[in-house]
Amino acid sequence: MSAGPHHPGSGPTWELRARPTTAEETQALGAALGRVLEAGDLVVLTGALGAGKTTFTQGLGAGLGVRGGIISPTFVLVRIHPNLPDGPRPGGPDLVHVDAYRLEGEGEVEDLDLENWVDTSVTVVEWGRGLVEGLSESWLDIELERGPLPPPAGGAAGADPEVDFDPEGAEATVDEEYDDDEPRLVVVRGFGPRWAEPPALPGAVAATAGRSGEAR
């Protein structure tokens, strides 16, 4: 894996927050992002089991106009969803959907040979924080958390509740359960020159501006 120019202390260029209350709203958020993604874009998804990472990716795939059937690729690790010639974005990039839940380091990520696709596809990596950022000089870090959440105090990035990244005794499942009645907090952070400006996402509001701190 070739290391990108990211420096751990540099922090995101910007941060957006959205609070979808249903699976449909989470998918709509992903679809809006999918419509602006291009070949070479890297998206890193973080959140506890059931937070909605796969649901968000399903919407993102719809916005990209790729073949459906998106599920968590936990046991296959990598699934490729080709662009649909008769879809909303004919000729657009394919989607490479990766689940890094069971990977233990960059060496195992290198074994996936993601470099073969990253320049020509949109690559979405669940559980990829700290493992795949070296694939690109720019990426989106998207964090999802489930449950009713209070508004952030003063819009500070540090006000986020902690996400349980490795719940004790939990096992990854093929489909994350998504409770339609339970709201989510979705935090989108942009890194690198590709994401000098944030995309327009439905219901999202800017929480921070400038390189104010490293994403947690």
Side-chain angles (χ1 to χ4, degrees), residues 141-157:
D141 179 281
I142 302 179
E143 185 171 337
L144 296 96
E145 182 161 353
R146 64 191 300 173
L149 300 164

Side-chain angles (χ1 to χ4, degrees), residues 33 43-46 56 140-144 186-189:
L33 179 60
V43 179
V44 181
L45 293 179
T46 300
F56 184 91
L140 292 176
D141 179 281
I142 302 179
E143 185 171 337
L144 296 96
V186 181
V187 182
V188 184
R189 300 177 176 103

